[in-house]
Amino acid sequence: MRDPAKAQNPQVDPRHCRYRLRIAQSRIHRWGVYAEEFIPKRHKVIEYTGEKISRRETKRRAGGDLNYLFTLDGYWTIDGAVGGSGAEFINHSCDPNCHAVIVRGHILYVALRDIEPGEELTVDYRFEPDVPTVRCICGMQRCRGTINLPKQTKARPRAQERAAGCT
């Protein structure tokens, strides 16, 4: 069950973080997650947690205005709106400072570069080009205008993500 109180007062669950993080209003979209201390490149920042749901349930929940669904594999999805760690509030950017790595069924966000205190954490959502287009509002100089990958770009295979490693 989705927690309406969480939507009004989102918080980071420190059990799933390696660094101190906070949630605050974002210039990108609604809420964002911010570093409260220096985070070195290639270090695990936070695990994306939530309820593990099937493809059928994912289709049912995806119809709302806001959802926090992260595809784990061809069958399972993690719904961060139910039992999420706070990682579900990490916004999209076309020039992100973190990326997702899936390791043994766990979704980990890892720093792509050093992250300074006060900086908003971002990831490239990498929506497939064949799903409905979602306009990007990240505001980065390298913004591609959409959260979807360009048609000619293939999503990085999961095997490469698993091999990407983290500290």
Side-chain angles (χ1 to χ4, degrees), residues 69-136:
L69 303 172
F70 194 116
T71 302
L72 183 59
D73 58 33
Y75 187 77
W76 296 108
T77 296
I78 303 297
D79 185 352
V82 183
S85 61
E88 67 272 19
F89 295 105
I90 295 177
N91 283 313
H92 164 82
S93 173
C94 295
D95 190 15
N97 54 20
C98 294
H99 73 286
V101 179
I102 298 174
V103 180
R104 288 183 237 110
H106 294 269
I107 302 165
L108 309 176
Y109 283 154
V110 177
L112 286 169
R113 59 172 175 74
D114 290 346
I115 300 171
E116 299 297 327
E119 198 174 338
E120 182 173 1
L121 303 182
T122 57
V123 296
D124 186 341
Y125 287 177
R126 302 176 58 85
F127 284 9
E128 294 293 332
D130 58 342
V131 300
T133 301
V134 178
R135 189 172 69 87
C136 179

Side-chain angles (χ1 to χ4, degrees), residues 3 47 59 94 133 149 159:
D3 181 0
E47 180 177 355
K59 285 181 183 178
C94 295
T133 301
L149 293 171

Side-chain angles (χ1 to χ4, degrees), residues 15-157:
R15 297 174 299 174
H16 301 286
C17 303
R18 184 148 180 215
Y19 297 92
R20 287 189 325 271
L21 307 173
R22 67 179 170 84
I23 296 177
Q25 297 245 324
S26 169
R27 68 166 184 75
I28 298 173
H29 184 253
R30 297 173 48 94
W31 300 105
V33 179
Y34 295 83
E36 288 208 312
E37 63 183 309
F38 177 79
I39 301 171
K41 178 180 180 176
R42 291 190 297 273
H43 279 237
K44 174 190 156 195
V45 180
I46 189 171
E47 180 177 355
Y48 192 104
T49 64
E51 183 181 9
K52 193 174 187 180
I53 59 175
S54 69
R55 284 185 303 222
R56 177 177 284 156
E57 183 62 16
T58 299
K59 285 181 183 178
R60 190 183 75 74
R61 293 185 189 184
D65 288 341
L66 286 175
N67 63 64
Y68 300 98
L69 303 172
F70 194 116
T71 302
L72 183 59
D73 58 33
Y75 187 77
W76 296 108
T77 296
I78 303 297
D79 185 352
V82 183
S85 61
E88 67 272 19
F89 295 105
I90 295 177
N91 283 313
H92 164 82
S93 173
C94 295
D95 190 15
N97 54 20
C98 294
H99 73 286
V101 179
I102 298 174
V103 180
R104 288 183 237 110
H106 294 269
I107 302 165
L108 309 176
Y109 283 154
V110 177
L112 286 169
R113 59 172 175 74
D114 290 346
I115 300 171
E116 299 297 327
E119 198 174 338
E120 182 173 1
L121 303 182
T122 57
V123 296
D124 186 341
Y125 287 177
R126 302 176 58 85
F127 284 9
E128 294 293 332
D130 58 342
V131 300
T133 301
V134 178
R135 189 172 69 87
C136 179
I137 54 172
C138 73
M140 300 303 288
Q141 187 173 3
R142 294 172 38 186
C143 181
R144 60 181 179 259
T146 175
I147 291 175
N148 306 65
L149 293 171
K151 293 261 187 230
Q152 71 275 12
T153 304
K154 293 251 184 195
R156 189 165 54 158

